[in-house]
Amino acid sequence: MSSQDVFGSGKRNMVEPLQTRLGDWVHLVIGPENISPSMSRAVVEAFVRLHDKGLIYQGTYMVNWSPSLQTAVSDLEVEYSEEPGTLYYIKYRIAGGSRSEYLTIATTRPETLFGDTAIAVHPEDNRYSKYIGGQAIVPMTFGRHVPIISDRYVDKEFGTGVLKISPGHDHNDYLLARKLGLPILNVMNKDGTLNEVAGLYCGLDRFEARKKLWSDLEETGLAVRKEPHTSRVPRSQRGGEVIEPLVSKQWFVSMEPLAEKALRAVENGQITIMPERFEKIYNHWLSNIKDWCISRQLWWGHRIPVWYVTGKDSEEEYIVARNAEEALEKARQKYGEGVEIYQDPDVLDTWFSSALWPFSTLGWPDTSADDFRNFYPTTVLETGHDILFFWVARMIMMGIEFTGTVPFSNVYLHGLIRDSQGRKMSKTLGNVIDPIDTIKDFGTDALRFTLALGTAGQDLNLSIERLTSNKAFTNKLWNAGKFVLQNLPSQNDTSAWENILAYKFDMEEFLFKLPLPECWVVSKLHQLIDTVTTSYDKFFFGDVARETYDFFWGDFADWYIEASKAHLYHSESSAIASAAQAVLLYVFENILKILHPFMPFVTEELWQALPHQRQALIVSHWPETSLPRDANSIKKFENLQALTRAIRNARAEYSVEPAKRLSASIVANNDVLQYISKEREVLALLSRLDLQHVHFTDSPPGYAKQSVHLVAGEGLEAYLPLSDMVDISAEVQRLSKRLSKMQVEYNSLIARLSSPSFVEKAPEDIVRGVREKAVEVEEKLNLTKNRLAFLESTVLVSE
């Protein structure tokens, strides 16, 4: 493919320096060495087949025109915004009437009046019924007359109730003109300047012409007034400029036959769209679809495979062919050997070629290609919800049309990435987050995991806090891997490894023989595997991420790894230590498998470091589901956790030094005591208790009145000697001083609230704030009084 093939025939209204720069850039990006011949062949083949079937046609219709880019743009690439503007009121004199007889028209675009071909009023508007059938004179046109017609399309309440019909410059006027058979006048060049139809205003930019025209209307007495008005302004999604509705000769695809099949594919369940709410949007768009303008007047893209015969009418005589040689041969057969042809300079809308992506990338139109036979159709398409129409619907239509089957069975629509305040990223706001910079700062896995935590179809606010949190999660996973590796036997210790590998956690008899912490964490893992597998199957990826995060950090890292240290370092039983090693390895391996789709790099690195792994994590088997779990062990360990939390909270409340070991009496019934006492090393390690002074009993100890009494759960209590936790005399003095200060603060707040001048004159939010502060201080005051009373009673008892 030559640069001529890429850029067209060179018939473009573009300055030479820009043409050269664009030419060089396109040649680098999509030049001969970078364009796949098979892809281009597929695009041409699709165009030819659709044209042969009568679904592609050339016509002069109204399109969205970009004066800056000088190309048609898709309806989907036009964004409407509410913007402040001006409503201009202009006199249109009645032909044959007196000089004072006129109709007043309100318009936001007076420069288009040169293209007026009619004046319209509502048939039931009595103000203007006498003028229907007459004619009006278009201002500043040297007396050009247009008919005054009636149509229910006219809004009697907008402006004056009189509408100028400019079919060449308004989509609704265009449709009305075609319905009524009105002529269509175009007053604008493709660069946004007015053409010769505008007379004296020819050559002026559309916005400059608007200013000059209004000034001239004021001078001639045809301007009535202007007033501020907010209107919906169409702007180009790419360049941001105001789009011009313009009648232009373009190539179109008839969409109704294609859309009908795509609608049925979703209706009958061949394709599932997730989230489901987007089905309604998909159906509505396809049910109201317009023919697709596929030609673009750009320098780059797939050249339209149409050739014209030199000297013939291009609208009547054209040749559709797969290449220039085929086109020339067809032309010679029809017009003789000396015929000359030239190719259409336009290119195809990029979404035309993108619509073929599911099968063009696999070798189509060669349906015998290995890739096509093996991989088409596929299972899941994952993409942003904002291109449901641009791309997804078009891939479905083209897939069914050219292959006879849908290109994929599931469409997963993710949200858009926004800044931390929920704003769309833009250079103007300066809130663009560069993914490359983000990866450098936080790592690829942390970024992937953050994005995966979003909910399907909902936009995600990307904040530094989220990224920081998930970077910490990645570090936690890495450190957990280091701990597991450091506590496994060396690979040369064959006997130890035989013991570890002998554990079969998929068998109940092995699971139920494990110590309590090991049985608990394996049971919780098996629950997690079932839950996340179901969530994966339903495409609830955010749920998978959250559930795995909670298990890994909340259960495995915070609880089991800490509990395992008692069995690894403080147990006299080698069997218990071996069980802990086996469980650490088993649980960690499965965590890596579950997290691998989210965090492929760190999980693969850790997996490769684990002993006895003969294949990469990416090709390893997914964990089995419906594995055994022991609900009783889960409940027992939760009791142990509740007891540990109660002791930790008491230590924090009394500001006990972290290194200090406390005595404790654990009180419960015999059944609870039996399993709690078996894990005394775990309890002592997690709660920082003095193992030599931890007692398990079914009744309160003798020093109960000098202890902090903790209730961990029904039938499970603990007594911590107060003398172990705090210097009672010093604490009494400290709390007494604190109580005095709090009482002064409380009295001051009550005094303010008791003052009528404050309550009646101060702002309501200030008074409410003082009341809330008084309630808060009162609660703290009562708590401090109770704690002080408890300490004073303890001192008295001890004396």
Side-chain angles (χ1 to χ4, degrees), residues 588-609:
F588 191 67
E589 283 179 344
N590 281 283
I591 288 172
L592 295 180
K593 288 182 178 182
I594 294 169
L595 281 176
H596 186 62
F598 297 93
M599 313 176 85
F601 300 103
V602 66
T603 52
E604 188 70 66
E605 187 74 15
L606 289 167
W607 178 269
Q608 296 291 343

Side-chain angles (χ1 to χ4, degrees), residues 266 270-279 282 357 378-389 391-393 395-396 407-417 448-460 534-546 597-598:
V266 172
Q270 287 179 278
I271 296 176
T272 301
I273 298 176
M274 297 163 285
E276 187 178 354
R277 68 179 184 274
F278 283 97
E279 274 191 25
Y282 171 90
W357 184 85
T378 188
T379 308
V380 181
L381 170 75
E382 183 274 343
T383 189
H385 66 73
D386 57 325
I387 55 175
L388 177 60
F389 308 135
W391 196 36
V392 179
M395 284 192 288
I396 293 171
F408 29 73
S409 51
N410 296 282
V411 176
Y412 180 89
L413 300 172
H414 63 69
L416 306 181
I417 309 302
R448 285 172 60 99
F449 194 74
T450 302
L451 300 182
L453 280 166
T455 303
Q458 288 185 257
D459 293 352
L460 176 72
T534 300
S535 294
Y536 264 127
D537 290 342
K538 293 180 178 179
F539 300 93
F540 295 165
F541 303 122
D543 290 350
V544 175
R546 283 183 285 273
F598 297 93

Side-chain angles (χ1 to χ4, degrees), residues 54-94:
L55 294 177
I56 283 184
Y57 63 93
Q58 187 183 45
T60 301
Y61 299 97
M62 178 159 284
V63 297
N64 300 301
W65 186 263
S66 169
S68 175
L69 296 175
Q70 294 196 39
T71 182
V73 296
S74 166
D75 290 344
L76 301 178
E77 295 173 2
V78 178
E79 295 180 340
Y80 290 86
S81 59
E82 298 288 331
E83 299 182 16
T86 304
L87 193 59
Y88 301 87
Y89 290 82
I90 304 171
K91 294 178 182 178
Y92 279 60
R93 290 199 174 98
I94 302 300

Side-chain angles (χ1 to χ4, degrees), residues 505-506 525-537 586 590 594 621-629:
F505 297 106
D506 57 345
L525 171 69
H526 291 171
Q527 286 182 342
L528 175 74
I529 291 171
D530 286 357
T531 302
V532 299
T533 300
T534 300
S535 294
Y536 264 127
D537 290 342
Y586 174 72
N590 281 283
I594 294 169
H621 291 292
W622 183 254
E624 293 183 24
T625 56
S626 302
L627 295 171
R629 73 285 311 269

